[in-house]
Amino acid sequence: MAKIIPFKAVRPTRDKVSLVASRSYQSYTHEQLESRLRDNPFSFLHIINPGYKFDKIISGKERYQLVKNRYLEFKEASIFKQDQKPCYYVYKIIDREGQEFNGLIAAASVLDYKNNVIKKHEDTISSKEITFKNYLKTVGFNAEPVLLTYPKNKSIEQIISKAQKERAEFEFTTTYRDTHYLWLINESEDLNEIEIAFKNIDTLYIADGHHRSASSQLLCEDLKQENKNHQGDENYNYFMSFLICEDELKIHEFNRLVKELNGLSKEEFLIKLDTVFRIENRGELPYKPSKQHHFSMYLDGEFYSLYLRRTDFEFKTALDTLDAQILYKTILKPILGIIDLRNDDRIDYLSGKKDMVYLKSKVDSNEFKVGFGMLPATIEQMKQIADEGLKMPPKSTYIEPKLRSGVAIYEF
């Protein structure tokens, strides 16, 4: 039984939302970031990059406090205003390819996360959890929701459809040609209907935002200890989420790039691969696998197809069927000596949104020695791995939609 609640979001005014909304700042190049900070005084990037005002790179606790200061300045200037009544927020994105994503922004329960009602499929890094918890504790808000998914549900579908018949509170198109819409739901009858609909859902799954969820739990534990009058309904007992039906998720793979062959020559490397894979040389034309458990490889100016020899690999768990795990268990760890996928600087990851031509260019530039391509995981694999209490290797999935920061903000 999942618990989600409405909340009073802090939002940009309608006339400024398109100027405020930003992608995650890590997704910008240095030049793009500089341009937006220079030319757009309303960008949310000014809040999360407060050092720009002082022409200085600022980190740690000093940065956290300045983020809070910039946020308060945006509120004082009435760029941001807080809703007077708790709301659920229907959010819709139509991307440049015409795909639609429809869901609800709401506050999800930390207790549900702790009790595995909200299930995980990726490992987190403790140091990152603590760093982000300390950040949240200082700034007092979260501007980027965790992406949660649920099975197809007719009641929720009807609620979203009903809201979308009204004029949207926000409608704006980004320079990426994605169009974003937001509607408010704040009538008590509708709020109750949504809460009941989610109570009838046994499990939610994290699609994106494992570190944000884990950090929210740590934050809750801290603030609970510090609050002598803790009741359990304080804002810190929840975290902002975007809940979307699993049918509407778009899952991309993360391809792998490796800087060297662990001391092996090209011929020695291919011979070792031959024990686990049937190898075919595909020549210079880009090649992408067409089936699960098949891989593409680009090495020394040529593409290869790698077909897993089933007799040498046994599927015992849902994790064993995941291509990212197969690649790790058969090539990256035993042949290339890459054990720590998170911290080994010999490996890098390339979103499947970038095609095999781009992967080829990264190898041809001599930045990397070899590249591996695969098909994306499925939602069924992701759920089964979470249900079995297992964890995917890092960078196993790149999941859309990606919401813009600063459109709806959750305060603790």
Side-chain angles (χ1 to χ4, degrees):
M1 185 172 76
K3 182 176 183 180
I4 69 162
I5 63 170
F7 66 99
K8 299 176 183 178
V10 175
R11 300 184 288 110
T13 54
R14 183 183 288 177
D15 62 316
K16 293 186 177 67
V17 62
S18 63
L19 298 170
V20 171
S22 74
R23 305 196 312 270
S24 172
Y25 78 92
Q26 295 99 332
S27 68
Y28 293 97
T29 65
H30 176 75
E31 292 75 18
Q32 289 172 332
L33 194 60
E34 183 71 22
S35 171
R36 282 157 177 78
L37 289 168
R38 181 185 65 245
D39 299 332
N40 181 4
F42 300 108
S43 174
F44 192 75
L45 293 169
H46 282 284
I47 293 175
I48 53 179
N49 292 269
Y52 180 79
K53 182 177 181 179
F54 305 103
D55 194 23
K56 180 182 177 184
I57 296 174
I58 300 172
S59 59
K61 292 181 180 179
E62 185 181 20
R63 174 178 170 265
Y64 304 164
Q65 186 58 52
L66 288 175
V67 168
K68 183 176 182 178
N69 294 349
R70 294 290 87 73
Y71 174 65
L72 293 175
E73 287 170 8
F74 269 50
K75 291 181 73 175
E76 290 162 3
S78 296
I79 298 167
F80 284 142
K81 292 187 177 181
Q82 187 166 30
D83 288 322
Q84 297 301 305
K85 296 169 65 176
C87 302
Y88 291 113
Y89 302 89
V90 171
Y91 202 95
K92 175 180 178 179
I93 303 172
I94 303 177
D95 71 15
R96 62 193 302 169
E97 297 168 358
Q99 180 161 347
E100 288 191 17
F101 304 96
N102 300 273
L104 287 167
I105 297 176
S109 167
V110 169
L111 191 60
D112 280 355
Y113 174 82
K114 185 176 181 180
N115 292 337
N116 215 33
V117 174
I118 297 174
K119 290 188 176 181
K120 316 92 179 163
H121 67 264
E122 282 189 9
D123 275 328
T124 53
I125 301 171
S126 296
S127 60
K128 283 190 175 182
E129 292 178 18
I130 294 168
T131 296
F132 195 57
K133 182 262 293 184
N134 292 335
Y135 168 82
L136 293 175
K137 195 171 183 180
T138 301
V139 303
F141 68 85
N142 197 337
E144 194 172 342
V146 172
L147 184 63
L148 300 178
T149 189
Y150 57 85
K152 192 172 181 65
N153 184 289
K154 190 172 182 180
S155 295
I156 299 171
E157 199 174 289
Q158 289 173 342
I159 292 165
I160 290 174
S161 179
K162 175 185 172 184
Q164 291 176 340
K165 291 177 181 176
E166 304 296 326
R167 182 197 178 197
E169 176 70 13
F170 291 159
E171 178 181 351
F172 63 97
T173 300
T174 71
T175 53
Y176 267 41
R177 299 194 182 103
D178 299 335
T179 303
H180 297 245
Y181 304 83
L182 181 138
W183 294 264
L184 277 59
I185 298 179
N186 55 26
E187 296 298 329
S188 57
E189 182 179 339
D190 295 328
L191 299 180
N192 290 334
E193 191 175 351
I194 293 170
E195 188 172 356
I196 291 168
F198 278 95
K199 280 183 178 179
N200 291 324
I201 294 176
D202 294 330
T203 306
L204 301 174
Y205 294 86
I206 299 175
D208 188 31
H210 285 79
H211 281 95
R212 276 168 276 154
S213 307
S215 301
S216 295
Q217 182 185 352
L218 293 179
L219 177 70
C220 179
E221 291 169 357
D222 269 18
L223 297 181
K224 179 180 177 180
Q225 291 295 321
E226 295 171 10
N227 183 3
K228 294 180 181 179
N229 298 313
H230 173 81
Q231 300 294 318
D233 58 355
E234 296 86 355
N235 280 5
Y236 58 74
N237 293 283
Y238 299 86
F239 56 94
M240 186 168 65
S241 301
F242 181 53
L243 299 114
I244 184 170
C245 176
E246 61 189 39
D247 288 355
E248 293 199 31
L249 286 180
K250 190 172 183 179
I251 305 176
H252 301 273
E253 70 279 13
F254 264 108
N255 296 319
R256 273 57 172 148
L257 290 160
V258 181
K259 292 183 178 179
E260 43 99 340
L261 298 182
N262 199 25
L264 300 170
S265 68
K266 172 185 171 181
E267 292 72 23
E268 290 169 335
F269 178 58
L270 288 173
I271 288 169
K272 286 184 177 292
L273 287 182
D274 193 74
T275 62
V276 187
F277 295 94
R278 178 168 57 85
I279 306 170
E280 291 184 14
N281 189 315
R282 297 280 179 166
E284 297 180 3
L285 292 178
Y287 169 76
K288 185 171 183 176
S290 58
K291 291 184 180 180
Q292 295 285 334
H293 316 328
H294 293 178
F295 302 88
S296 63
M297 179 177 73
Y298 184 67
L299 173 67
D300 194 26
E302 295 178 306
F303 281 92
Y304 296 82
S305 54
L306 307 179
Y307 300 99
L308 182 68
R309 298 185 191 278
R310 296 295 183 92
T311 54
D312 291 324
F313 198 90
E314 190 175 356
F315 298 144
K316 294 181 179 178
T317 68
L319 183 60
D320 292 334
T321 71
L322 186 72
D323 283 350
Q325 179 73 355
I326 293 171
L327 191 69
Y328 173 66
K329 297 287 282 186
T330 59
I331 301 176
L332 299 179
K333 182 179 178 181
I335 299 177
L336 297 178
I338 297 172
I339 297 171
D340 186 349
L341 292 171
R342 293 186 182 278
N343 299 308
D344 195 317
D345 61 8
R346 290 174 296 165
I347 188 168
D348 204 354
Y349 303 92
L350 189 64
S351 160
K353 286 175 71 78
K354 299 280 182 75
D355 60 21
M356 299 308 292
V357 173
Y358 187 81
L359 181 144
K360 176 181 183 296
S361 72
K362 299 290 279 186
V363 176
D364 287 345
S365 69
N366 294 320
E367 185 179 354
F368 297 93
K369 185 70 174 178
V370 63
F372 299 97
M374 67 190 90
L375 291 183
T378 65
I379 184 66
E380 290 76 20
Q381 282 181 304
M382 191 179 81
K383 289 170 62 176
Q384 193 174 351
I385 288 168
D387 289 343
E388 292 180 14
L390 302 171
K391 301 292 186 294
M392 292 182 175
K395 300 291 186 182
S396 290
T397 56
Y398 179 91
I399 299 179
E400 293 181 307
K402 303 288 186 188
L403 271 66
R404 294 279 164 144
S405 297
V407 177
I409 297 170
Y410 182 76
E411 293 188 339
F412 308 116

